[in-house]
Amino acid sequence: MAIFKGRVRVRYGYSRWGYTRNNGKGWHGGSDEEGLDSTTIRMPDYKGKSISGRVVTARKVDRSTGSKTWEWGWYVCVELDAGQTPDAVNYLYFCHNAQNLVSVGQRVKSGDALAVMGSTGNAALASPPFAHCHFEVRATAAGAGLDPTAYTGHPNAVGTYGEAIDETEDSDMKFLEVTSGKCEVFTAPDVNAVDKHYNGGKLTEGVCYPVQAEVGSSGGYSWVRIFVAGVQRYAAVLADRCRLVTLSPGDAFAACVAQGGAGGDTSELEAQLETANARANAEACRADEADKRAAAETQRANAAEKHAAETDKRLASAKEYVAEV
């Protein structure tokens, strides 16, 4: 699969991989992938083959550090497991994200959700900015971007690829609904890895736990990776103990609050959420102001460059005139 479900678009010529910027003189190390039916960025496959790896970076680098990585905004880097593909690619980068959904050290495979498409970093300086994922593949972490088409699943060309899907696909979230007090929680997809540190090793009946990924079958059981009190844990899906359900965004938020409060008083959790949201909003406002200042600086620099070019052109014309005279 591609990095988005449904259709993906490469909007501009300079969105392609290669020397596609500044009239063929500027290097663009990846492909700007725009999800048209889904905003969830997912781990791709390699020419239809499922691949896996480990998240080695999930962060945002501040512009003040001087590192060019700030241009990626919020980004995720996955190091591929060795020996899966015949090419030189070892690292996959997913950039300009509005939100990262994975953490460093987490194992991922094709189809797993990694981030939410956004326009952070230098994507915010585009005119106009548009949400997309700068997708880049490398042999080494410090190397140049390699041809990404075996992972994007489409040519290195402007166009729209894939087939349309229900545009509401991302509007529902998957949860594990616990229907019995016998439902156990595990630290790994292993029946011997019961997590006794959480509620005596049992999930709380009547609570819905967010599903991060469907892990697959192991030991005769179907496993899912879930978030339990903000920590990644596992559960076996058993018809007499739990079931997978989808919830609307509003119901999903309510389920997260109930899960965090373990069915009890959630006032403290809600207060924490309110404080965190206020802090996030303040940070977002500061980031917006910084982006506006950066955009203004870019405009001034472009104007100065244009003025210099016009001056050079006038001087050249004057020299030609004098030479003719």
Side-chain angles (χ1 to χ4, degrees):
M1 65 171 295
I3 66 171
F4 292 103
K5 288 185 177 181
R7 296 169 300 163
V8 64
R9 174 169 62 183
V10 177
R11 187 185 292 209
Y12 303 116
Y14 58 75
S15 297
R16 297 171 297 135
W17 168 76
Y19 284 98
T20 58
R21 300 194 168 181
N22 300 327
N23 295 318
K25 298 177 181 178
W27 173 256
H28 186 228
S31 178
D32 291 341
E33 305 281 301
E34 183 181 1
L36 299 182
D37 301 321
S38 171
T39 60
T40 301
I41 299 170
R42 299 180 182 277
M43 180 73 173
D45 59 27
Y46 173 83
K47 295 183 177 181
K49 173 189 174 183
S50 181
I51 53 178
S52 60
R54 182 177 66 91
V55 177
V56 293
T57 308
R59 63 174 181 169
K60 179 181 182 181
V61 176
D62 190 87
R63 189 176 188 179
S64 63
T65 63
S67 170
K68 286 202 69 175
T69 307
W70 78 267
E71 296 180 353
W72 286 350
W74 286 99
Y75 75 99
V76 169
C77 175
V78 174
E79 181 179 14
L80 292 178
D81 295 335
Q84 298 182 93
T85 61
D87 61 16
V89 174
N90 294 307
Y91 295 90
L92 310 182
Y93 290 84
F94 309 83
C95 313
H96 301 321
N97 307 332
Q99 179 185 1
N100 292 341
L101 301 177
V102 290
S103 55
V104 172
Q106 187 171 324
R107 299 280 309 164
V108 293
K109 66 181 186 306
S110 297
D112 284 353
L114 303 177
V116 177
M117 182 175 70
S119 57
T120 58
N122 71 353
L125 305 181
S127 182
F130 68 99
H132 66 279
C133 173
H134 172 86
F135 175 63
E136 188 164 326
V137 302
R138 295 181 175 186
T140 64
L146 302 177
D147 183 353
T149 55
Y151 301 86
T152 62
H154 62 72
N156 185 38
V158 172
T160 299
Y161 306 94
E163 297 182 0
I165 59 173
D166 182 358
E167 63 181 3
T168 64
E169 180 172 351
D170 283 346
S171 65
D172 292 334
M173 296 177 63
K174 188 170 289 188
F175 284 77
L176 182 72
E177 181 182 16
V178 178
T179 57
S180 167
K182 298 179 180 179
C183 189
E184 294 179 304
V185 62
F186 305 87
T187 57
D190 182 346
V191 293
N192 297 312
V194 176
D195 188 357
K196 296 291 186 180
H197 296 291
Y198 176 78
N199 197 35
K202 300 291 179 62
L203 295 175
T204 304
E205 184 176 358
V207 172
C208 292
Y209 295 85
V211 173
Q212 200 278 331
E214 294 183 60
V215 177
S217 298
S218 177
Y221 296 93
S222 178
W223 295 89
V224 292
R225 186 163 65 240
I226 59 177
F227 285 113
V228 181
V231 178
Q232 180 179 289
R233 294 183 172 93
Y234 297 83
V237 182
L238 299 171
D240 63 333
R241 299 182 183 183
C242 57
R243 62 183 179 181
L244 291 173
V245 298
T246 55
L247 300 176
S248 67
D251 290 340
F253 177 79
C256 289
V257 171
Q259 190 240 128
D265 181 17
T266 63
S267 58
E268 181 178 351
L269 175 64
E270 292 179 12
Q272 291 174 355
L273 287 172
E274 185 175 350
T275 300
N277 286 335
R279 186 163 55 246
N281 289 336
E283 291 175 356
C285 288
R286 286 194 293 270
D288 287 342
E289 289 301 320
D291 286 342
K292 288 178 182 178
R293 289 194 296 270
E297 291 174 4
T298 300
Q299 289 177 352
R300 285 194 294 271
N302 289 340
E305 185 177 345
K306 183 178 180 181
H307 177 71
E310 292 174 348
T311 300
D312 289 342
K313 185 176 181 180
R314 286 197 296 270
L315 287 173
S317 297
K319 289 179 180 179
E320 290 178 2
Y321 175 76
V322 171
E324 291 175 358
V325 172

